[in-house]
Every structure is written in structure tokens, then in C-alpha cells.
Amino acid sequence: MRAFWRRGRRRRVLRLSLVTPTQLKTWRLELEAAGSASAIERQQAEAGELARLRQDNKRLKEEVEVLRKASAFFAQWAAKT
């Protein structure tokens, strides 16, 4: 679509059709807005997933720390007996 705007084919198409330049501009802006809306939606979904993954990562690190401490405790207890 960008090539259409860059190469000047717009005038030729407008001459051959009944589309006004204003209508063509309106369609182009609607397409760009729809693309940016989907990009924003995708970014929000990715941000939500990233937040969830960070939360899971934090929880797992805490679990690993608890297991390390428990392991050290039981290793000392086993050595005493």
C-alpha cells in the first residue's frame, strides 16, 4: 500500500475511478488507524503476559530459596545424627 502512495499511482487510479481524493484519504486514514489499534491491542496483550511471567518468575525464585534453606537445614540435621 505504501508503494501506491510513493510512486504517484494515486492520480492515475483516481482518474480511472469515481473515487475522490478526499475519500481515498479517508480510507487510507481508516486503514492506518485500524492497524495502529491492532498494534496497541497486541502490545497490551504482550504487556499483560510479561507482567504475569515476571510474577511467576518471582514466585518461583522464592520457592527455590525456601527449598535451598530446607535442604541446608536437613543436610545439617542428617550430619548430626
Side-chain angles (χ1 to χ4, degrees), residues 49-64:
E49 183 181 9
L50 182 60
R52 184 186 59 77
L53 289 172
R54 284 183 175 160
Q55 198 172 34
D56 286 348
N57 194 28
K58 180 180 177 184
R59 180 184 53 81
L60 290 171
K61 284 181 179 181
E62 290 171 354
E63 289 178 6
V64 166

Side-chain angles (χ1 to χ4, degrees), residues 1 3 11-12 15 18 25 28 40 46 48 54:
M1 188 69 180
R11 289 185 186 144
R12 191 170 8 150
R15 273 188 260 134
L18 299 175
K25 181 179 177 183
R28 181 178 56 89
I40 290 171
E46 288 174 355
R54 284 183 175 160

Side-chain angles (χ1 to χ4, degrees), residues 39-49:
I40 290 171
E41 200 173 292
R42 188 171 44 253
Q43 287 174 346
Q44 290 174 343
E46 288 174 355
E49 183 181 9

Side-chain angles (χ1 to χ4, degrees), residues 4-48:
F4 172 78
W5 292 103
R6 288 185 187 151
R7 294 184 185 153
R9 295 179 184 170
R10 175 177 47 183
R11 289 185 186 144
R12 191 170 8 150
V13 170
L14 290 175
R15 273 188 260 134
L16 296 173
S17 68
L18 299 175
V19 178
T20 64
T22 305
Q23 182 62 48
L24 189 61
K25 181 179 177 183
T26 302
W27 290 341
R28 181 178 56 89
L29 292 175
E30 286 174 358
L31 280 172
E32 288 174 357
S36 63
S38 65
I40 290 171
E41 200 173 292
R42 188 171 44 253
Q43 287 174 346
Q44 290 174 343
E46 288 174 355

